Amino acid sequence: MAAFAELERLNPAQREAVLHTGGPLLILAGAGSGKTRVITAKIAYLIREHGVDPRSILAVTFTNKAAAEMRARSSAMEPAAADVMIRTFHSFGAWLLRRNAAAAGLDRGYSIYDDDDVVSLLRTIYRDEHRGTLGGYARLISRAKDYGLRPGDDLSAISSDPELAGIYGSYQRRLDEIGNVDFGDLILKPVELLRSDEAIRRRTRQRYRFVLVDEYQDSNVAQYELLKQLCDETTYLCVVGDDDQSIYRFRGAEVRNILTFSESFPRTTIIKLEQNYRSTGPILELASSVVRHNLGRLGKTLWTDRAGGQEPTVALLRDQDEEVDYCLDLITREPGETAILYRTNAQSRLFEQALIRAGIPYRIVGSLRFYEREEIKDALAVLKLCANPRDEVSFRRIVNKPARGIGTKSLETVADLLSGCAGDLLEATEAAAAELSRKAGASALAFVSIMRRARQSLGRGKLSEFTESLVRELGLWELHAEGRDPIVAGSKVENLEEFVNAASLYPATGEGLAEFLELVELDRSREADETLDAEVTLITMHNTKGLEFDRVIVTGLEEGLFPRGGDEDPDEVEEERRLFYVAVTRARDALYLTSCSYRRLHGRVMELVPSRFLNEIPAELVHEATTGHRRLTGGVTDEYPVGSAVYHDDYGMGVVASSRHNGTDLVVQVRFETGRVATFLPRYTPLEKVSGDDW
DNA sequence: GTCAGAAGGTTTTTT
DNA sequence: ACCTTCTGAC
């Protein structure tokens, strides 16, 4: 057996994680601790040293980018790793459903509805509701699915709205009739399939003897349930994650999954990776000093053997204009790779304007919404209707675009005939043609015939040509090419060309079509190409996960902006604190934190107090740069130390969760034994300090 | 069907 | 402030 050289390059904890066998393994991998390296080495090691069949390994990630990186790096170590099943949770779900379509009650040509499509489908059911209202229900339905809940389940944890169950039920019934799935179904349906079909469950468990999960802290309840179905006592399950980096709660991520992993999976071994290879000591100390204030964490402390490093700087500025100047000054005075991080996308504008004015190239991450553009959604709808003639959402989008006289009344006629045609919209439209006016009937038949001909032509040629000629035949190409504004029209045509080009790798077959649609729906990350070599990156903190930069500027550290929201929901504040932790641990060498006294928000100037996160950093860990407007108010107070016990007459015993000055008052947040969390101003509310011996 | 003006609402967003 | 969505008039 060939020696596995990669082992030599690992630190002891990393090596232990790679070599571990037996029961479930939880790898708590701090930021920059070489997590991907461990997981890919583990895959390579299993194959090479244990002779494991690569096809019996399933590695699950959350993003396509992470999956691609894992595939590349494990294959570089061990070529046979190319046969490992490395996919995102959703793509694995889609694969499983496609493979077991009949058992899952689906047609193999099913397609996937994105969030917009979900709202459109709700709209076909509730014609008179406002889009905004339906958007709200779409979010609730999606959240319910994140928690593995179906319409009949107790939805009170999602919303107290009594309408939700009914709307969710109608939505799901209609979605199932159409035969498509939404993102939530890509997890939930596989769970249900594995639960109910013993043969498929056994077969799947027999195939995947090794299951590895990356970024486990971002998993939701439904994904946890999928893991439970995939694994039995003989499956080797290894999850890697960092509870301190769980920042997608609003999307249903459940940090408790990782906090309670060892209870859910008995005999779990926990290995902590705490050596950081990215940042300087002072940056790590700052990061730890803040995230330490979170109560709900497993606890680990990053360290580095990198010597030295400059002290992070806190810049207290007057307003956002000064903030922009401050950042640009840093960049021009000392060029180098720099990322400007912000909490909300709206903050990027001023930076962008200033960078353009200064002639500094930059790249902005995450604002490209290619697949949400009108012309692309139109082309997608055409393909989706081809793949599934029951797809009402796609049908409605394109049947009268460009206008061909098929209006509301015609569509009602079609809808009435739908059930007699097994939901097939082309058949129903054809049948409806006879009942319509001459003109509407004729164009309805023309539309049906184009779509039918296209469907029959599947089986030969390239999908790119298929797509282009169909979009042209339907008149959509021309519609977009001849819009009022020639510049807009030009870019629409370019986008359509790019879309068509993306399809060129696929054959024009039913299978190729389904595969292409799946790729498009599940992988919308598209690099904003062009200025990839720019030294300056503008990016939301959420988007920085997994990235690193020489110099990082975290902007907008103000109460109300970051953390956003007030003290109402302590879990929310803890999530924001984790986001802060993610943000600052992106920095390799230099870290700057900026906070403004005034900020224009929603059109008015607000006076803001520095973020509590700044007050949580011990003064000796930062260099304070001010422009004379303000100093950090209060600072860390030791009057109610975090973690100390207090007693309240009504709530009983509790532990101090946070304590800070908001400028005028001391604000103390307490988590009580009952689980309740409340915020007090000790100036008004008596809070008795209790010494450790008393309880 | 289109367009201007009003009204409304505003985090983050892997899939 | 700004952007999307709704509305009513043509």
Side-chain angles (χ1 to χ4, degrees):
Chain A
M1 225 181 257
F4 191 58
E6 183 67 19
L7 281 184
E8 313 288 322
R9 288 195 281 269
L10 301 176
N11 70 38
Q14 290 175 328
R15 198 175 309 131
E16 190 192 346
V18 169
L19 296 177
H20 175 269
T21 54
L25 175 64
L26 167 60
I27 303 174
L28 285 175
S33 64
K35 165 197 78 158
T36 307
R37 179 171 215 185
V38 166
I39 209 167
T40 51
K42 196 167 178 73
I43 290 172
Y45 187 80
L46 281 171
I47 298 170
R48 193 175 315 170
E49 301 296 312
H50 287 286
V52 165
D53 177 358
R55 289 171 33 90
S56 69
I57 303 174
L58 169 65
V60 191
T61 65
F62 280 85
T63 67
N64 292 287
K65 198 174 153 199
E69 189 186 354
M70 199 181 285
R71 198 172 299 125
R73 288 177 63 174
S74 54
S75 299
M77 268 180 245
E78 168 54 62
D83 289 330
V84 174
M85 176 74 101
I86 302 180
R87 284 181 180 251
T88 65
F89 262 111
H90 289 87
S91 139
F92 175 71
W95 176 85
L96 199 75
L97 291 180
R98 196 84 65 192
R99 206 160 176 265
N100 301 288
L106 291 163
D107 188 276
R108 285 180 68 90
Y110 78 82
S111 40
I112 300 163
Y113 276 166
D114 68 14
D115 295 350
D116 271 355
D117 299 330
V118 168
V119 178
S120 302
L121 180 56
L122 281 169
R123 253 185 142 173
T124 68
I125 309 171
Y126 302 98
R127 302 281 159 79
D128 301 329
E129 271 319 319
H130 282 218
R131 209 182 158 76
T133 314
L134 294 178
Y137 282 112
R139 266 194 303 282
L140 291 176
I141 291 170
S142 156
R143 192 62 5 89
K145 292 189 175 190
D146 288 339
Y147 280 90
L149 301 172
R150 285 302 191 183
D153 296 325
D154 174 11
L155 299 174
S156 58
I158 304 299
S159 165
S160 54
D161 188 332
E163 306 283 339
L164 178 59
I167 293 172
Y168 181 7
S170 306
Y171 164 80
Q172 194 63 45
R173 225 170 299 124
R174 190 71 195 103
L175 183 60
D176 289 339
E177 277 166 16
I178 286 172
N180 280 355
V181 301
D182 57 21
F183 284 126
D185 281 350
L186 287 176
I187 309 299
L188 220 35
K189 280 189 187 287
V191 169
E192 289 158 353
L193 178 67
L194 292 168
R195 229 182 235 151
S196 62
D197 192 315
E198 208 210 322
I200 293 176
R201 181 172 67 240
R202 195 167 352 104
R203 208 184 323 134
T204 310
R205 287 179 178 178
Q206 262 163 15
R207 165 144 185 207
Y208 300 110
R209 309 304 304 141
F210 301 85
V211 176
L212 307 158
V213 186
D214 193 16
E215 305 277 16
Y216 187 66
Q217 78 282 350
D218 289 333
S219 60
N220 61 34
V221 170
Q223 286 158 341
Y224 161 80
E225 286 174 1
L226 180 55
L227 280 186
K228 273 286 189 191
Q229 290 305 320
L230 283 172
C231 301
D232 59 26
E233 320 73 52
T234 67
T235 314
Y236 180 76
L237 173 63
C238 166
V239 306
V240 188
D242 181 357
D243 50 318
D244 290 332
Q245 292 189 67
S246 173
I247 55 173
Y248 283 105
R249 195 171 83 104
F250 65 96
R251 293 285 253 111
E254 184 49 83
V255 70
R256 265 181 299 235
N257 279 354
I258 193 166
L259 297 178
T260 61
F261 181 82
S262 47
E263 292 155 35
S264 311
F265 295 91
R267 298 179 297 114
T268 289
T269 304
I270 299 178
I271 296 176
K272 293 184 184 182
L273 305 182
E274 298 179 293
Q275 182 173 2
N276 174 292
Y277 294 96
R278 178 185 298 151
S279 310
T280 63
I283 291 170
L284 293 181
E285 277 179 58
L286 184 150
S288 302
S289 74
V290 174
V291 79
R292 183 166 59 80
H293 287 78
N294 274 357
L295 299 180
R297 67 189 289 256
L298 293 166
K300 71 192 143 14
T301 307
L302 291 181
W303 61 277
T304 178
D305 58 13
R306 268 185 79 174
Q310 74 180 62
E311 201 169 57
T313 298
V314 172
L316 299 169
L317 307 162
R318 199 171 74 101
D319 57 20
Q320 54 212 321
D321 299 324
E322 217 173 81
E323 187 177 54
V324 168
D325 292 343
Y326 182 81
C327 294
L328 257 78
D329 187 54
L330 278 178
I331 290 164
T332 40
R333 225 168 355 125
E334 210 184 307
E337 185 193 48
T338 305
I340 299 176
L341 275 50
Y342 36 79
R343 179 65 179 79
T344 67
N345 280 307
Q347 290 166 258
S348 71
R349 274 195 37 174
L350 282 182
F351 293 113
E352 246 187 298
Q353 285 169 3
L355 287 163
I356 290 170
R357 218 180 308 124
I360 300 169
Y362 65 93
R363 76 184 176 122
I364 182 155
V365 178
S367 59
L368 200 75
R369 294 264 183 272
F370 186 75
Y371 292 106
E372 283 163 33
R373 290 177 184 163
E374 184 194 4
E375 63 278 16
I376 300 304
K377 291 223 66 162
D378 289 345
L380 263 172
V382 169
L383 293 186
K384 279 167 144 178
L385 183 59
C386 255
N388 176 7
R390 285 182 292 162
D391 185 340
E392 186 179 349
V393 169
S394 298
F395 172 80
R396 282 180 177 270
R397 183 176 181 101
I398 54 162
V399 68
N400 196 34
K401 192 172 184 179
R404 43 170 78 86
I406 303 175
T408 322
K409 273 203 71 185
S410 309
L411 287 175
E412 271 171 29
T413 313
V414 173
D416 289 341
L417 295 166
L418 206 50
S419 56
C421 305
D424 188 311
L425 288 148
L426 298 180
E427 271 180 44
T429 306
E430 190 175 44
E435 294 180 31
L436 302 178
S437 69
R438 247 176 100 97
K439 189 166 169 271
S443 55
L445 286 178
F447 175 80
V448 170
S449 117
I450 294 172
M451 291 301 298
R452 284 249 171 88
R453 209 159 353 108
R455 277 170 59 79
Q456 275 155 18
S457 82
L458 280 172
R460 51 186 180 274
K462 285 163 68 174
L463 191 59
S464 48
E465 283 147 22
F466 174 89
T467 306
E468 178 164 350
S469 59
L470 182 52
V471 170
R472 278 185 191 279
E473 265 185 277
L474 287 169
L476 282 164
W477 198 287
E478 207 183 355
L479 175 77
H480 292 303
E482 288 172 5
R484 252 150 239 271
D485 184 338
I487 298 175
V488 172
S491 86
K492 288 190 170 194
V493 168
E494 270 176 39
N495 289 334
L496 282 171
E497 281 167 351
E498 195 177 336
F499 179 74
V500 164
N501 191 40
S504 65
L505 296 172
Y506 295 82
T509 59
E511 212 166 293
L513 180 57
E515 248 180 77
F516 175 64
L517 286 173
E518 188 173 307
L519 175 95
V520 164
E521 290 295 344
L522 296 185
D523 187 4
R524 300 196 154 188
S525 62
R526 297 163 44 86
E527 282 298 322
D529 5 59
E530 298 169 52
T531 43
L532 274 177
D533 53 339
E535 280 196 334
V536 178
T537 299
L538 300 182
I539 189 168
T540 63
M541 298 186 216
H542 281 90
N543 269 326
T544 61
K545 192 142 63 125
L547 303 178
E548 54 184 68
F549 306 91
D550 291 339
R551 177 168 55 187
V552 166
I553 311 173
V554 183
T555 65
L557 277 150
E558 297 124 35
E559 283 292 302
L561 184 64
F562 187 40
R564 145 164 284 280
D567 293 293
E568 314 87 52
D569 186 351
D571 288 342
E572 194 71 28
V573 175
E574 296 214 346
E575 171 120 333
E576 300 268 318
R577 194 176 278 112
R578 293 191 289 267
L579 185 57
F580 177 84
Y581 176 81
V582 169
V584 298
T585 53
R586 300 306 99 192
R588 291 193 193 99
D589 305 321
L591 175 65
Y592 294 83
L593 310 171
T594 65
S595 176
C596 301
S597 306
Y598 302 93
R599 185 176 287 276
R600 286 186 298 276
L601 283 173
H602 311 318
R604 58 178 59 183
V605 176
M606 307 275 284
E607 184 171 3
L608 297 164
V609 163
S611 170
R612 70 190 69 184
F613 303 150
L614 292 177
N615 288 333
E616 289 165 3
I617 306 168
E620 67 273 17
L621 291 186
V622 291
H623 163 74
E624 203 173 299
T626 73
T627 47
H629 293 284
R630 186 200 286 275
R631 325 208 116 256
L632 282 182
T633 47
V636 177
T637 169
D638 54 4
E639 198 182 341
Y640 288 92
V642 169
S644 66
V646 291
Y647 180 79
H648 183 278
D649 283 343
D650 297 331
Y651 300 136
M653 291 300 300
V655 172
V656 175
S658 78
S659 140
R660 71 200 159 80
H661 278 283
N662 66 6
T664 42
D665 287 299
L666 179 65
V667 182
V668 179
Q669 199 179 66
V670 181
R671 185 170 295 219
F672 290 97
E673 282 180 308
T674 55
R676 183 189 178 114
V677 179
T679 304
F680 302 94
L681 303 183
R683 207 165 102 188
Y684 308 108
T685 320
L687 257 192
E688 194 186 327
K689 294 172 203 163
V690 182
S691 73
D693 310 333
D694 294 347
W695 71 313

